[in-house]
Amino acid sequence: MPQRDSQYSAMMEQGLAAAKDLAPHQEDVFRMRFRRSERDLFGPLQELYGAKPGYEQFCRDLVSALIRLQTERPGALRHLDLQRDLEPDWFQRQDMVGYVFYIDRFNGTLQGVLDKAGYLEELGATYIHFMPCLKPRPGDSDGGYSVMDYRAINPALGTMADLETVTTALRQRGMSVCIDLVLNHTAKEHEWAQRARNGEKRYQDYYWTFEDRSLPDAYSQTLVEVFPAHAPGNFTYYDDMKKWVWTTFNEHQWDLNWSNPQVFLEIVEIMLFLANKGVDVVRLDAVAFMWKRMGTRCQNEPEVHQLLQALRAASRIVAPALIHKEEAIVAPRDLIPYLGQGKHSGREGNLAYHNSLMVQFWSALATRQTRLMTHVLRTHFPESFVNATWGTYLRCHDDIGWAITDEDAAAAGVSGFAHRGFLADFYAGRFPGGFARGGDFQSNPGTGDKRTNGTCASLCGLESAIGANDAGAIDDAIHRILMGHALICSFGGIPLLYMGDELGQINDHSYEADGHLRHDGRWMHRPKMDWTKAGRRKDQATIEGRIYAGLRHILDRRRATAHIHAANPVSILDLGIDGIFAFARKSPVGPLVCLFNFSERWQSIPRSSLEAAGVTEWFDRLANAAVTLQNDTLPLPPQGRIWLT
Ligand code: GLC
Ligand code: GLC
């Protein structure tokens, strides 16, 4: 195919000629990938940085860095690059199952992960997310999200060599590895921040520093606070520097200045360095906050998507086996663009958390009604994405923010403010007769906003049921847990199981005795793995045995159901029954209609509405059995779930 040479291809040719380290066929492959993605890379960069002095030198430096990182890429990973270029849907398949944990809380160290690889395999996990494992600042590090060295592993967990060993060993067992890459900020102990603090102008330009309060005050007019209770404000004053520094999250987390192209260059090199250690997925943390614009909330600005597209293009050139997960816990309208919309379609994140599905699950579970859930998921979300899909989840390491807008609530006939308040109260265990046990997070007296902590099992009622020694309530809680998992395993995307949820682990209050953790209630739902409970997982007479077997069954059925491939569109059905949530997956092998009963009574779904949705076989793929209609309706018990063909 004839190619017109761009100035960037010319830089690439010069770079290759100078490098001479790649074998001729590797050069060829690199050249093809560069040409494939150069517009995706340099288009946004030109718009972001083209007018800055030194732009051309920046581009040359970037091209040489890409070539160097390509040269350093190990042979086994180059092989994987070819394989995944041939099978680009590898992460969308119905056999993908995610499992998420803090390495120390799972089994101590990276080596400890290998010791438990059999457990991960038995569960069916194929995507292992190590919560932050790069070297954090000493003391409180926000669970590792305050990184002081991106090229070293947290010494308490192991070494970079251990990471390579683990990624290699897990890959041989069919498991991919996801690690966090914190893009919005570094620890104030990071070398760049230290040098900035010591007065080096070059590194002060890596962050947002201010001589006086005037700009911070002006920005603050429209900013929100992420941690209003334990880290109020968005700026911190350092007496030794005589400057204010932008610190959106905690004081020790300094926001990077992405309007400086050198920051882009540094992070690209770090990202591909980690890819070359065998990482399959980078979870790009807190991406919404990357670009600052006066007069806005400084979240989800259009430039964020330019940056993320450029990062993705860099990966596609050097390490196409790598995919990007973008962490943006934001409203639906703002969330969808992270999976690539409009000009970024197919070019941005491959994965994003389906925060709305998660919030709506908990909202429907508390109210036993599904109008709001159906409305939100039906109105705001496209049926599918190009080369991208959701990470679906019930719980993760973070709190639940009740991201339900006033408009959506009104459309479902409720007050947004009152409903958000109800959910916070319900899940904190303050609602009379409610089943949930949890805690408030970052109550903001100014806005009346409250977020929620708690494990999946405790929020589903298991903790209160065990406390009351109530066998019926324990059954209900287990059914809620399994209905939730049947939902996230069929909706489309990679279901992300949070460690311990497969055993029904409940809230753990031991963090309250730890001086570094006490201020952050999220540790309540980050219990250590209970290996004693895990030892009972095959015993159906135990609660953990019932949850584990139920979950294993769901995952087995997911793998056996081709309709669930994430590329198959999801359309939300409105069956007009408040209490039932339903969607159809269109697939080449016919439709799959999934139904979930959030109400606490039997529901009858008319045959005609199911036929209209495409059901012909009356076979429940989840139970792996035919269903029997009664009087031309499908009966569904409380917490019932069905995947119907
Ligand atoms: C992400 C993490 C969260 C952390 C924050 C700051 O949102 O999920 O745990 O506090 O980033 O890095
Ligand atoms: C906010 C942020 C999210 C972060 C969370 C931590 O929701 O948007 O990125 O994970 O706070 O609690």
Side-chain angles (χ1 to χ4, degrees):
M1 189 180 30
Q3 285 272 359
R4 260 180 303 128
D5 265 2
S6 69
Q7 72 188 104
Y8 304 111
S9 306
M11 284 179 193
M12 182 261 299
E13 291 301 346
Q14 286 161 16
L16 282 179
K20 294 231 181 299
D21 284 325
L22 288 170
H25 73 281
Q26 291 170 337
E27 271 195 21
D28 251 5
V29 171
F30 183 81
R31 200 172 269 124
M32 283 190 273
R33 289 195 180 125
F34 188 94
R35 287 180 183 258
R36 172 182 70 182
S37 300
E38 68 177 304
R39 260 176 246 167
D40 294 344
L41 176 61
F42 291 101
L45 293 179
Q46 164 78 43
E47 285 180 40
L48 292 168
Y49 307 128
K52 302 218 173 211
Y55 175 67
E56 193 180 316
Q57 187 55 46
F58 157 74
C59 293
R60 285 186 192 285
D61 292 346
L62 176 59
V63 170
S64 341
L66 298 180
I67 293 172
R68 179 166 38 76
L69 286 150
Q70 177 71 90
T71 309
E72 290 165 7
R73 192 150 172 84
L77 297 178
R78 289 172 195 274
H79 184 84
L80 194 66
D81 289 336
L82 288 175
Q83 190 182 333
R84 290 192 177 154
D85 257 343
L86 291 171
E87 301 176 45
D89 71 333
W90 68 274
F91 65 96
Q92 297 178 313
R93 295 185 183 158
Q94 65 273 14
D95 61 359
M96 287 298 284
V97 174
Y99 190 71
V100 181
F101 55 78
Y102 289 92
I103 294 169
D104 55 340
R105 295 190 164 231
F106 179 62
N107 196 31
T109 59
L110 275 168
Q111 178 55 46
V113 174
L114 275 193
D115 299 341
K116 295 290 183 189
Y119 181 82
L120 299 172
E121 204 164 42
E122 179 191 296
L123 185 63
T126 57
Y127 165 112
I128 313 298
H129 176 184
F130 297 150
M131 296 294 299
C133 62
L134 302 180
K135 188 176 175 192
R137 73 188 291 267
D140 173 35
S141 63
D142 187 15
Y145 285 106
S146 203
V147 178
M148 81 182 258
D149 186 350
Y150 291 89
R151 293 176 195 267
I153 294 291
N154 179 350
L157 306 175
T159 62
M160 204 40 93
D162 292 337
L163 179 71
E164 274 190 279
T165 310
V166 171
T167 56
T168 307
L170 293 183
R171 192 175 325 116
Q172 280 158 5
R173 291 177 180 246
M175 291 180 239
S176 52
V177 170
C178 168
I179 74 166
D180 286 85
L181 180 57
V182 184
L183 297 183
N184 179 64
H185 44 263
T186 72
K188 68 175 177 189
E189 288 79 4
H190 190 285
E191 189 196 333
W192 306 332
Q194 288 296 311
R195 296 177 75 164
R197 220 162 154 173
N198 291 336
E200 282 186 55
K201 171 86 172 73
R202 170 181 161 104
Y203 291 99
Q204 290 187 347
D205 290 345
Y206 277 34
Y207 299 94
W208 292 91
T209 59
F210 306 93
E211 305 290 329
D212 59 42
R213 247 337 273 201
S214 50
L215 283 171
D217 281 342
Y219 279 113
S220 296
Q221 298 287 316
T222 49
L223 291 175
V224 288
E225 299 181 325
V226 178
F227 297 136
H230 70 249
N234 283 277
F235 301 89
T236 307
Y237 187 69
Y238 292 89
D239 218 14
D240 51 345
M241 263 172 109
K242 303 258 176 296
K243 282 187 195 296
W244 289 88
V245 178
W246 198 313
T247 53
T248 299
F249 289 81
N250 291 290
E251 172 276 325
H252 51 79
Q253 291 163 307
W254 286 21
D255 288 47
L256 283 165
N257 180 354
W258 283 85
S259 71
N260 177 353
Q262 291 309 311
V263 168
F264 181 88
L265 192 56
E266 297 270 15
I267 298 285
V268 165
E269 293 193 36
I270 288 168
M271 178 178 76
L272 296 171
F273 164 83
L274 294 168
N276 283 352
K277 302 294 170 198
V279 168
D280 301 272
V281 185
V282 274
R283 174 190 178 278
L284 306 177
D285 181 70
V287 290
F289 301 86
M290 286 164 78
W291 197 267
K292 320 293 187 197
R293 171 169 285 116
M294 184 66 77
T296 72
R297 300 168 77 231
C298 299
Q299 286 190 46
N300 314 305
E301 287 299 305
E303 288 83 353
V304 167
H305 299 288
Q306 304 276 49
L307 287 168
L308 292 171
Q309 175 180 319
L311 287 173
R312 174 85 188 108
S315 295
R316 296 245 297 156
I317 292 171
V318 174
L322 182 74
I323 60 169
H324 291 199
K325 173 169 186 205
E326 299 182 354
E327 189 242 359
I329 308 302
V330 298
R333 186 186 312 111
D334 297 322
L335 173 59
I336 296 160
Y338 290 93
L339 290 181
Q341 289 285 290
K343 65 180 176 181
H344 302 297
S345 174
R347 298 181 163 83
E348 203 185 311
N350 304 93
L351 289 167
Y353 289 98
H354 204 327
N355 168 56
S356 242
L357 179 69
M358 183 275 289
V359 165
Q360 293 303 330
F361 166 76
W362 293 109
S363 164
L365 200 69
T367 59
R368 285 82 157 166
Q369 290 170 350
T370 52
R371 265 177 74 189
L372 178 62
M373 181 178 199
T374 302
H375 168 75
V376 167
L377 295 168
R378 199 174 152 90
T379 317
H380 299 299
F381 293 91
E383 295 193 341
S384 57
F385 294 93
V386 178
N387 198 26
T389 189
W390 297 111
T392 56
Y393 66 118
L394 297 176
R395 289 299 293 117
C396 69
H397 68 293
D398 277 332
D399 51 289
I400 305 176
W402 300 110
I404 296 169
T405 64
D406 290 343
E407 299 76 62
D408 285 334
V414 293
S415 140
F417 186 78
H419 185 54
R420 291 188 296 268
F422 160 74
L423 291 171
D425 285 342
F426 185 90
Y427 284 108
R430 283 188 297 266
F431 192 75
F435 53 75
R437 292 292 175 271
D440 288 333
F441 186 62
Q442 306 293 319
S443 307
N444 188 337
T447 58
D449 223 25
K450 286 190 208 86
R451 283 134 66 183
T452 295
N453 290 324
T455 68
C456 177
S458 288
L459 297 181
C460 278
L462 190 61
E463 186 175 334
S464 59
I466 294 174
N469 200 5
D470 178 338
I474 291 177
D475 284 350
D476 288 345
I478 294 178
H479 279 298
R480 289 186 198 105
I481 293 171
L482 294 178
M483 178 174 73
H485 283 94
L487 171 69
I488 62 167
C489 287
S490 54
F491 191 81
I494 304 183
L496 303 172
L497 313 180
Y498 190 76
M499 177 189 88
D501 286 352
E502 74 278 23
L503 305 169
Q505 280 190 233
I506 61 176
N507 296 336
D508 170 13
H509 291 274
S510 62
Y511 77 96
E512 289 165 10
D514 182 325
H516 288 313
L517 308 182
R518 186 182 304 142
H519 67 280
D520 190 338
R522 290 176 295 172
W523 290 100
M524 172 191 304
H525 52 250
R526 302 168 180 174
K528 288 210 168 85
M529 182 69 171
D530 187 337
W531 289 109
T532 313
K533 273 195 177 156
R536 294 195 292 262
R537 68 189 182 278
K538 308 262 167 82
D539 180 353
Q540 289 283 319
T542 64
I543 293 172
E544 39 279 9
R546 288 169 63 193
I547 297 175
Y548 185 83
L551 186 60
R552 280 282 308 276
H553 173 79
I554 295 169
L555 297 176
D556 285 344
R557 298 308 306 152
R558 172 180 157 85
R559 271 186 292 276
T561 306
H563 312 69
I564 289 175
H565 189 292
N568 294 328
V570 187
S571 48
I572 309 299
L573 303 174
D574 189 353
L575 301 178
I577 308 174
D578 200 1
I580 298 288
F581 179 66
F583 55 83
R585 305 293 311 274
K586 279 175 227 148
S587 89
V589 288
L592 179 75
V593 175
C594 301
L595 301 157
F596 305 87
N597 184 359
F598 282 81
S599 74
E600 286 184 346
R601 50 195 174 80
W602 281 81
Q603 296 280 1
S604 307
I605 299 122
R607 175 193 198 116
S608 53
S609 10
L610 295 169
E611 279 174 349
V615 175
T616 51
E617 290 171 11
W618 305 102
F619 190 83
D620 176 2
R621 301 290 299 230
L622 180 55
N624 200 18
V627 296
T628 319
L629 296 182
Q630 289 169 10
N631 304 324
D632 263 353
T633 63
L634 174 76
L636 201 58
Q639 289 112 26
R641 53 265 174 198
I642 273 190
W643 299 347
L644 211 56
T645 48

